[in-house]
Amino acid sequence: MDLPPAWRRPDPLRGLDKVPWTELCRGRGVDELLRGAADGDLTACAALEQRLLDDDTVSEASAHAVPFLVELGASYKVPGDVRDRVIFLLAAMALAGAGFTAEGKRTRRRWNSLRRELPRLEPDWITETRYAVEKDAPKVFEALGGAEVACSMALAIAVPEVAPKHVADVAHGIAFAGTFPQMLEEAASVALHLLQGEQSDDVWAYVTAQGHPDVLRAYEAGEYPPNQPPGVTVQLMGYRYAFLAAYGDSAFDHG
């Protein structure tokens, strides 16, 4: 019997030594942390989250780390709890709200009164990191297959434009089965909305916020950036629901 594709993937860290990590902004030590994660070290995973997504901010090292994170998330040779954490990290990086400049300052996503995104300081690691996740996320979706798991919903919410049809089918099943935990159902509903290409307006964002008291409180208190498009807000809410589904209220300090 042939092994599933996720078992037949090559070494997830192949080519790691070819990246000049010490020369990348915030790249020092990332290679060792990736090796630790591949060996199942959750402490290394936590350190990667802090390094690659520092206070919702991505960097040059974040963009370069994406292909390796994808391979970790797509390989069944990697322990399941690590794979989940890595996939959540990929989703959060794709949704990052800020990026480090060459001088180590933060350049944030901002919008004008017409909700058009304003230019950012170069280099634009927000765009580069998101593009890297979009490019390779299909490998993760292929490996997850029909798994009804929160990390799949998180990644679909972050990059719905590259999620295959079977992910929408999974989201539909979770959202309407009536047998899954509430936070997973909320995440699946957001994922399905985005995967179907539905538009998100302010009313939809407010409805989406009803899924959790803390999310609703943040929305009503105006804690999201000024003029942020409702579609972006819905994605961030959906990611939070997926994270809560996986790790619970007390664990949410991510994104």
Side-chain angles (χ1 to χ4, degrees), residues 30 33-34 37 42-59 61-63 65-66 68-70 72-73 81-96 129-130 132-133 140 150-152 154-155 158-159 239 242-243 246-247 253-255:
V30 169
L33 293 175
L34 287 167
L42 290 177
T43 301
C45 285
L48 276 173
E49 292 162 0
Q50 291 296 317
R51 180 68 60 84
L52 301 178
L53 191 65
D54 181 4
D55 190 23
D56 195 33
T57 308
V58 291
S59 64
S62 306
V66 166
F68 303 103
L69 295 172
V70 164
L72 290 174
D81 50 359
V82 170
R83 294 180 65 226
D84 288 353
R85 289 279 291 268
V86 164
I87 294 168
F88 269 108
L89 177 56
L90 285 166
M93 287 165 61
L95 295 171
T129 301
R130 180 175 180 80
V133 176
V140 178
C151 62
S152 176
L155 192 59
V159 288
Y239 172 86
F243 194 90
Y247 301 111
D253 57 1
H254 202 129

Side-chain angles (χ1 to χ4, degrees), residues 213-229:
D214 290 344
V215 176
L216 180 59
R217 191 176 304 116
Y219 185 76
E220 292 182 331
E223 294 182 12
Y224 292 96
N227 303 315
Q228 178 170 277

Side-chain angles (χ1 to χ4, degrees), residues 105-201:
K105 298 179 180 179
R106 284 181 169 87
T107 179
R108 299 188 181 277
R109 297 191 75 183
R110 296 177 301 128
W111 295 267
N112 64 19
S113 60
L114 298 177
R115 290 180 164 174
R116 293 173 180 166
E117 192 161 7
L118 298 171
R120 293 183 288 272
L121 298 175
E122 295 292 338
D124 184 4
W125 295 117
I126 299 174
T127 299
E128 291 294 328
T129 301
R130 180 175 180 80
Y131 172 76
V133 176
E134 287 178 352
K135 178 176 178 290
D136 284 348
K139 297 177 183 178
V140 178
F141 289 125
E142 177 189 21
L144 290 170
E148 297 167 324
V149 290
C151 62
S152 176
M153 296 299 98
L155 192 59
I157 287 164
V159 288
E161 58 274 18
V162 299
K165 182 183 180 301
H166 79 262
V167 178
D169 295 337
V170 171
H172 185 278
I174 295 172
F176 292 102
T179 58
F180 290 89
Q182 180 190 352
M183 289 298 95
L184 185 54
E185 289 181 353
E186 295 286 350
S189 295
V190 174
L192 186 60
H193 172 80
L194 297 168
L195 291 166
Q196 291 177 335
E198 302 288 344
Q199 293 298 311
S200 301
D201 57 14

